[in-house]
Amino acid sequence: MEAAMGLMRRIPPKHSEAALSALLSLLPHHSADLLSQVDQPLQVLCDVDSGKEFILCEYNRDADSYRSPWSNKYHPPLDDGLYPSQELRKLEMEANDVFTVYCDQYYEGGTSSVYIWENEDEGFIGCFLIKKDGSRTADGRRGYLEEGSWEAIHVIEVVPLDEATARYCLTSSVMLSLTTNDESSGAFSLSGSIRRQMNMDLPVDEGHLCNMGRMVEEMESKLRYSLDQVYFGKTKEMICTLRPPSELVQTSLPEQINKRRS
Amino acid sequence: MSDEEETQPTDEQKIEIAKWFLLNAPAGEIQYIAKDMKAVLQDETLYITAAAEAFPLYNKSHMICLDFPDRSGEVMVTPFSEIGENEYLDPRTAQVAIVDHVNQVCRRARPANDEELPTPYIEEYRYALDIEVTKYVSEAYPKGICSVHCVNGKDVEEPGMDFELVVVISAARLSPQNFCNGSWRSIWNVEFKDEAQLVEVRGTLQVGAHYFEEGNVQLDAKHECKDSTMFTVILEMLYLSPEDSAHSVTTIIRHHETEYLNSLQTSYSKLPDATFKDLRRKLPVTRTLFPWHNTSQFSLRKDIQKNLGLEKKK
């Protein structure tokens, strides 16, 4: 299993879906572990009632069907599927509405889904998902990206500590890839995935949604910064180490050659 | 789920999977992938078959450099230096290396025989270009290696016929303790066309980097200068000696590689504020954090958002 995780860390992130499938076929007895520790690209379905998209994951799946957060129905329909309690469903609906606005503000498009279900005792688990296609043919507002995708999965375990506070344990993973392509510089492709955790004990006077939302927002900002500055930064540093940019570079071709070019 | 009842992959499929993992290893990481793959496959025989097929392809594609056993020099394993199964020519020392691909070492060397080497006429051009390129590589790359081969017309004995040389440049920086590896590969085709009295230069540049401390991030950049007029440079060969043409060709290579590096840096500098924004903004347009606590305003905002949304998308 350790070897399998080692492979996932080295394979180019854009191939991670293929790599995971290959590993699942080779190690079927480890499939539960693999699926929980390796993130797969997110798929979406369209809700039959509202026409809105919702994201598929292990947390809204029962057998081969997926529950939509908009209509609370399973797609394809399921006779005895699992549903959250009425109270949690109420929280789930509110969370989805608010999260849609959050998603729009930060992602200018994209699809979001929130799933909430019971945990032991009085606790519950919330899963916040975002899928953004930033390519210029999709939701890329500025048209920079030939191909681009950001997918985030945030799973928060909420455990009430006492009347006034609760513990929130957040595990987040982000998978992203971007490709630019133009005449002068060719194809430039960056892709990556990272996972982080954050635990906080917070007062519940403003409600769970507020606390969870803030944690997700903080985590996403940290991850975005980290990917951009640290991770991409390191790859850039590596290139400059391979071939240091020289200031004395001759930026124009010598005369003899220039004359020949028409 | 019904998938659990599917049969295990066949031996052939397992070999293909292993090959795929090996071939997709980032620069300098194939041995690590090999170790993990062996553990996952749990079948020595299958692994050996996969490795025997994957390693040669990987080594040639990454243009690895191996020392001769007697330390008399080094040989680059490339599609252009391959003259036989597991045999690679080093034109500088006129030796042929017999290579063990899976272990990535040169087992032994033998002198090249006359048929394997270019003619003295071609060698003059090859040698001159080699000198210039080696000088360039030592200046531009802290740890670069390069090689020049004749890939077409090596038996040409005098002016009047076309021939083609290939320049390969490779630099790799492996820092596994810092969880970071990178590689730069360039391949330049230099065609000497006698009738048109032209030298045509085309290049392919490929850069990769992998950073994997608590994560997995990779850069993959490629630039082909095949038909684009910017990179096909025509030189008049009339009256140019091997040394002069070598000098001109190297200047072109140097110019274009530097330009490419600059454009890579530009791409990186546009990331934080421009490119990345198409994926996720740093902050909403309001330039403040999201007001989670103000749920009541959301029903109102949702309507406004919807209207705005409709307007924005058109």
Side-chain angles (χ1 to χ4, degrees):
Chain A
M1 183 61 203
E2 215 180 282
M5 296 310 294
L7 287 173
M8 289 309 299
R9 271 203 320 172
R10 297 186 186 273
I11 283 293
K14 59 185 178 200
H15 293 315
S16 60
E17 195 176 359
L20 179 61
S21 285
L23 287 175
L24 285 171
S25 72
L26 290 175
L27 305 169
H29 39 284
H30 282 298
S31 59
D33 282 329
L34 281 170
L35 286 171
S36 71
Q37 286 191 49
V38 179
D39 301 306
Q40 303 153 268
L42 301 174
Q43 314 282 345
V44 296
L45 271 183
C46 211
D47 180 299
V48 291
D49 288 344
S50 60
K52 286 201 259 193
E53 285 188 330
F54 63 99
I55 301 177
L56 312 185
C57 66
E58 284 302 295
Y59 307 109
N60 66 328
R61 183 181 72 82
D62 191 354
D64 286 330
S65 294
Y66 292 88
R67 184 175 64 87
S68 158
W70 310 116
S71 60
N72 205 23
K73 289 188 184 162
Y74 272 93
H75 297 60
L78 210 57
D79 282 333
D80 53 353
L82 293 165
Y83 292 90
S85 68
Q86 239 188 0
E87 205 185 311
L88 285 184
R89 172 66 190 149
K90 197 156 151 264
L91 180 60
E92 188 185 81
M93 290 196 292
E94 195 188 346
N96 272 288
D97 286 340
V98 173
F99 206 55
T100 306
V101 183
Y102 167 86
C103 182
D104 207 55
Q105 296 254 288
Y106 274 101
Y107 294 89
E108 300 171 321
T111 306
S112 67
S113 297
V114 182
Y115 303 106
I116 302 190
W117 69 100
E118 283 96 357
N119 204 10
E120 306 132 5
D121 297 330
E122 286 167 34
F124 64 90
I125 300 188
C127 181
F128 293 72
L129 303 124
I130 289 186
K131 182 178 164 81
K132 164 81 191 268
D133 181 346
S135 45
R136 65 169 75 102
T137 48
D139 281 333
R141 289 292 165 89
R142 294 154 197 89
Y144 285 121
L145 300 173
E146 166 116 345
E147 179 270 323
S149 111
W150 168 292
E151 296 184 357
I153 304 173
H154 305 280
V155 182
I156 310 185
E157 197 180 314
V158 183
V159 176
L161 294 174
D162 55 50
E163 289 274 315
T165 40
R167 173 159 296 160
Y168 301 83
C169 299
L170 168 63
T171 303
S172 300
S173 38
V174 170
M175 292 159 286
L176 82 78
S177 77
L178 58 90
T179 304
T180 60
N181 202 339
D182 60 58
E183 284 284 310
S184 60
S185 52
F188 176 89
S189 187
L190 279 168
S191 60
S193 68
I194 54 176
R195 262 195 180 204
R196 290 289 183 271
Q197 285 190 310
M198 186 200 281
N199 295 341
M200 286 176 104
D201 290 346
L202 298 166
V204 294
D205 53 333
E206 284 185 301
H208 287 301
L209 184 52
C210 219
N211 291 337
M212 293 195 292
R214 286 205 188 108
M215 278 180 85
V216 167
E217 183 175 26
E218 192 182 323
M219 175 65 95
E220 286 204 329
S221 296
K222 275 195 188 148
L223 291 177
R224 185 203 192 271
Y225 179 82
S226 197
L227 277 166
D228 185 11
Q229 298 292 308
V230 178
Y231 284 81
F232 292 161
K234 289 272 181 192
T235 58
K236 178 185 175 187
E237 210 180 287
M238 168 57 76
I239 310 264
C240 294
T241 314
L242 283 171
R243 192 185 190 288
S246 61
E247 277 120 31
L248 302 170
V249 72
Q250 199 176 10
T251 47
S252 54
L253 293 174
E255 282 229 358
Q256 175 195 31
I257 299 167
N258 253 331
K259 272 195 214 137
R260 302 295 161 222
R261 292 172 69 182
S262 43
Chain B
M1 285 195 18
S2 52
D3 296 52
E4 283 165 19
E5 280 137 24
E6 266 177 27
T7 49
Q8 275 254 302
T10 63
D11 280 355
E12 258 156 34
Q13 285 171 327
K14 287 187 186 176
I15 291 175
E16 285 307 303
I17 291 175
K19 266 172 64 180
W20 183 85
F21 272 104
L22 289 167
L23 286 172
N24 277 294
E29 297 186 30
I30 194 171
Q31 298 292 358
Y32 296 94
I33 294 229
K35 184 160 154 263
D36 285 338
M37 203 62 231
K38 266 190 235 181
V40 167
L41 266 185
Q42 296 185 318
D43 187 327
E44 192 83 21
T45 334
L46 289 182
Y47 170 75
I48 290 175
T49 315
E53 288 175 44
F55 268 87
L57 292 171
Y58 177 90
N59 290 339
K60 280 189 279 187
S61 157
H62 281 83
M63 307 196 298
I64 64 168
C65 186
L66 302 175
D67 288 327
F68 281 112
D70 62 359
R71 309 282 229 161
S72 59
E74 39 190 33
V75 63
M76 283 184 76
V77 173
T78 71
F80 316 105
S81 59
E82 190 172 42
I83 55 166
E85 196 174 329
N86 301 327
E87 293 197 314
Y88 296 86
L89 170 68
D90 171 39
R92 270 181 216 138
T93 58
Q95 290 185 91
V96 173
I98 288 89
V99 165
D100 172 350
H101 279 291
V102 176
N103 289 304
Q104 298 182 307
V105 289
C106 168
R107 286 281 168 224
R108 58 183 182 85
R110 62 165 174 81
N113 49 45
D114 286 338
E115 295 90 57
E116 291 166 334
L117 295 169
T119 59
Y121 174 69
I122 297 289
E123 178 61 15
E124 255 193 278
Y125 282 88
R126 194 210 68 77
Y127 179 76
L129 190 52
D130 197 5
I131 297 284
E132 285 290 323
V133 170
T134 306
K135 184 162 143 248
Y136 158 64
V137 168
S138 67
E139 285 165 3
Y141 298 84
K143 275 191 176 183
I145 41 174
C146 62
S147 181
V148 180
H149 298 276
C150 178
V151 293
N152 227 342
K154 73 170 183 48
D155 297 322
V156 168
E157 301 202 322
E158 53 187 27
M161 303 260 309
D162 296 347
F163 60 94
E164 187 177 345
L165 300 178
V166 164
V167 176
V168 294
I169 300 174
S170 163
R173 197 65 163 218
L174 305 177
S175 201
Q177 68 278 21
N178 290 327
F179 304 99
C180 200
N181 295 317
S183 75
W184 172 298
R185 289 172 268 170
S186 14
I187 299 175
W188 292 93
N189 288 73
V190 185
E191 269 186 85
F192 290 76
K193 295 184 170 168
D194 184 79
E195 208 176 304
Q197 290 283 297
L198 293 176
V199 175
E200 206 173 274
V201 180
R202 296 173 343 258
T204 305
L205 303 154
Q206 193 161 7
V207 180
H210 181 207
Y211 180 58
F212 50 103
E213 181 167 16
E214 292 196 10
N216 177 5
V217 168
Q218 299 199 17
L219 162 75
D220 179 20
K222 189 165 178 179
H223 190 18
E224 276 182 31
C225 335
K226 267 202 290 202
D227 301 78
S228 149
T229 46
M230 260 176 33
F231 281 78
T232 306
V233 181
I234 319 287
L235 290 175
E236 272 196 2
M237 203 174 81
L238 208 56
Y239 308 128
L240 275 184
S241 65
E243 289 75 23
D244 284 341
S245 64
H247 182 73
S248 301
V249 169
T250 309
T251 307
I252 291 167
I253 292 177
R254 180 197 298 265
H255 167 87
H256 287 300
E257 292 197 340
T258 310
E259 245 185 31
Y260 182 58
L261 180 69
N262 287 341
S263 82
L264 282 176
Q265 293 196 294
T266 307
S267 293
Y268 269 109
S269 67
K270 285 194 330 209
L271 267 184
D273 296 312
T275 325
F276 220 126
K277 237 181 178 172
D278 266 357
L279 287 178
R280 184 187 192 275
R281 300 178 59 98
K282 271 188 219 173
L283 276 178
V285 186
T286 57
R287 291 175 170 251
T288 57
L289 291 176
F290 191 74
W292 295 97
H293 55 280
N294 237 330
T295 327
S296 55
Q297 66 174 270
F298 284 141
S299 3
L300 188 65
R301 289 193 76 181
K302 246 191 344 181
D303 294 312
I304 297 173
Q305 206 66 32
K306 272 191 202 147
N307 292 330
L308 284 178
L310 282 171
E311 281 168 24
K312 260 197 263 180
K313 276 184 173 128
K314 293 310 166 196

